[in-house]
Amino acid sequence: MATTGRRSIRENTRSCFEDEASERTRGVVLKAAKESFGAIVDAAEQDVRKNVSCLLIDAFLIFAGEMAKKMQVPWVTLWVPAPYLLAAHVYIDVISELLCESSGGGTSTDDDDKSRGVIPGLSMMRISDLPNEIIDDQDTSRIACLLREMGRVIPICATAVVMNSYAKVNPTPLIADLKSKFKMLLQAGCLTVSFPLSPLPSSSASDTTGCLTWLDARDPRSVVYICFGTVAMLSPSEVLALGESFGVY
């Protein structure tokens, strides 16, 4: 028991130091990004002998808004994650109020129930489902502070928001509310899809694992596809737990 306790203390202490180091790193990176971006814009204008007429940049880099205002050009932000997350950032003050109402500032079942219907289009989500970066204390987390500022600045200052999404794949209330929050909302479709699409190979030609053959035998709309991106690697125990949660054994 004592050994386990000491190990937990060491792990928790190491985690705290890693979090602090990550916060400092983020601050340095963002400061350098702002300075580098400005220098690159200046160099590009001198190279082509033309002035930049618009800034199209990731929504996370909100310093571009100040730059665009100084340059007197439109500021167009690019939102790559899901629209749901953008709505959460826009409604961050509402979410914070719900968190403050709970005892100790944490989330509870009651708070999760309150969140249903408060944010249009997010009635199926709970506050506890949101990433920690959104609900963390902005006084202790640089990234949480930055995300809060992003959610407040973009609706006011951005000329347009371009989303990496299709209109028809998102709930109508969600998109309608986002349109009401921004000066202009453009849904550009999936930016990572190449056009025209190449034809899919036949199952027999490329199905080395048998997955496609198995999928072909399933009924329409009976299979759930879960993607964790290109970085996350689940351990066998995590894959098993995920399957068990869906009743797959």
Side-chain angles (χ1 to χ4, degrees):
M1 294 293 291
T3 302
T4 302
R6 288 195 296 271
R7 184 181 299 114
S8 294
I9 292 174
R10 287 198 300 270
E11 291 175 350
N12 291 337
T13 302
R14 181 177 60 187
S15 177
C16 289
F17 280 117
E18 289 175 348
D19 290 343
E20 292 177 2
S22 297
E23 287 295 325
R24 289 195 297 269
T25 301
R26 291 189 186 104
V28 172
V29 170
L30 290 173
K31 181 180 179 181
K34 180 178 181 179
E35 296 173 352
S36 299
F37 193 80
I40 291 173
V41 170
D42 291 339
E45 289 183 332
Q46 294 178 9
D47 186 42
V48 300
R49 298 181 181 180
K50 290 184 179 180
N51 293 331
V52 171
S53 59
C54 177
L55 290 183
L56 172 60
I57 189 171
D58 191 283
F60 185 73
L61 303 176
I62 57 175
F63 61 77
E66 181 181 344
M67 290 182 57
K69 183 178 180 180
K70 183 178 180 180
M71 298 167 61
Q72 297 183 342
V73 299
W75 173 38
V76 179
T77 64
L78 174 63
W79 184 258
V80 177
Y84 298 98
L85 191 57
L86 179 57
H89 289 307
V90 172
Y91 280 92
I92 188 60
D93 290 331
V94 175
I95 294 173
S96 297
E97 289 177 6
L98 292 176
L99 288 173
C100 291
E101 291 176 2
S102 63
S103 58
T107 59
S108 67
T109 302
D110 291 340
D111 295 319
D112 281 344
D113 290 339
K114 290 178 183 178
S115 68
R116 302 177 186 274
V118 173
I119 304 176
L122 298 188
S123 59
M124 74 295 292
M125 295 187 67
R126 304 169 299 175
I127 290 180
S128 57
D129 293 329
L130 298 175
N132 291 335
E133 288 79 6
I134 294 180
I135 60 179
D136 281 346
D137 186 355
Q138 61 178 333
D139 294 330
T140 58
S141 171
R142 186 186 300 272
I143 188 66
C145 182
L146 178 64
L147 292 175
R148 279 167 167 76
E149 185 179 359
M150 180 187 70
R152 295 163 182 160
V153 170
I154 291 179
I156 300 174
C157 301
T159 305
V161 176
V162 177
M163 289 201 309
N164 178 39
S165 180
Y166 295 96
K168 294 184 179 181
V169 300
N170 297 294
T172 300
L174 173 64
I175 300 303
D177 186 66
L178 287 176
K179 286 184 176 180
S180 71
K181 294 293 186 291
F182 305 122
K183 297 177 182 177
M184 184 182 299
L185 181 67
L186 304 173
Q187 298 179 80
C190 186
L191 302 178
T192 58
V193 174
S194 59
F195 297 99
L197 295 176
S198 57
L200 293 175
S202 62
S203 298
S204 58
S206 60
D207 191 16
T208 57
T209 63
C211 290
L212 296 179
T213 302
W214 177 88
L215 184 61
D216 289 340
R218 306 278 76 78
D219 294 331
R221 299 179 180 272
S222 65
V223 177
V224 176
Y225 173 70
I226 302 175
C227 177
F228 293 93
T230 58
V231 177
M233 294 292 292
L234 299 185
S235 65
S237 60
E238 290 173 324
V239 174
L240 178 60
L242 182 63
E244 291 176 344
S245 68
F246 286 97
V248 179
Y249 300 95

